Amino acid sequence: MDFVSRRGFIRLAGMGAISAVLTACGSSGSGGGEEVEKWGPGATLRVGSDCDYAPHSWIQTDDANGAIALQDGSGFVGGYDTKVAQMIGDAYEWNVTFIKVDWDGLIPALNAGKIDCIIDGMGVTEERKQSVDFSNYYWSSEQGIVCLKDSPYVNAKSLEDLAGAKVAAQIGSMWEAMVDQIPGVDKQDSLVDGNTIIAALRAGKIDATIMGETEAKSWMISNPDMQYVTFEEGKGFEVDLSDCSAGIAVAKGNDELLNKINAVVDTITREMQEEMMDAAFAEQPLSVA
């Protein structure tokens, strides 16, 4: 199964589609001097992200490669998600700014009105759909494991081959519940973030972690001692497409913003997704994972 990735500033390639978006989703005002509605030209889209999920997002010191400024002025956010956010902003002549929020605080911040949307590789799970509304998918990935290249599990062909392995996932991630799918797994406590997981792998505290292909490829850029392992057809993790696909979250009932976001997301073809993700991989600093 291919991972769905995305890359590049697709302004030229998507110009016709974006023009159609603007026609279909233009200002709802009737003109004649009336104030534009909240989401008219010149509005600011406040995007929430933990800014620590390469290749989707990372913090850098300048605006190279189209990075978008953090609202507090502390830096810029680069990555795949910023490219998608900028496409949305360009379509409606919005200003786009990122607000850094810890992962666990993103949905509370959205529902408190501190941010307008979440663009952070967030999986569209049934649990999350109780709290927020999601756009159509803007990214998807298959799931496998990451282990050290010299691990005895590097040649695993099925989940059964991981019996006895010490496996931990990132806390709060979709991968947490998937650990239990491994027969005979030696399940370890979930870990707080990628750096903690990498340290645990190298220290031998865990043998493997579960991860999507896109995230794993990002890890391997800055951690060449790691290997991503997938499984033979029908012998890997069982996961719904919605669980391994990301959507843009908005507050429940915010149909105006959701419809505008969807109108842009729907113009991003699979080829454009792959192009944008390839660029994110190429732009990703070696210091982030």
Side-chain angles (χ1 to χ4, degrees), residues 7-22 87 90-91 263-264 266-269 272 275-276:
R7 187 287 112 177
F9 272 143
I10 312 287
R11 290 202 180 116
L12 293 179
M15 190 62 70
I18 295 300
S19 177
V21 167
L22 290 170
M87 287 185 71
D90 288 348
V264 177
D266 289 347
T267 69
I268 307 175
T269 65
M272 293 164 69
E275 187 183 340
M276 284 194 287

Side-chain angles (χ1 to χ4, degrees), residues 34-52:
E34 293 182 5
E35 288 187 19
V36 296
E37 83 281 13
K38 178 178 180 180
W39 296 115
T44 296
L45 181 69
R46 300 170 301 164
V47 179
S49 169
D50 69 354
C51 306
D52 188 26

Side-chain angles (χ1 to χ4, degrees), residues 261-283:
I261 289 173
N262 271 333
V264 177
V265 168
D266 289 347
T267 69
I268 307 175
T269 65
R270 175 67 172 266
E271 291 74 21
M272 293 164 69
Q273 293 174 4
E274 291 172 348
E275 187 183 340
M276 284 194 287
M277 187 62 84
D278 286 346
F281 281 133
E283 297 160 6

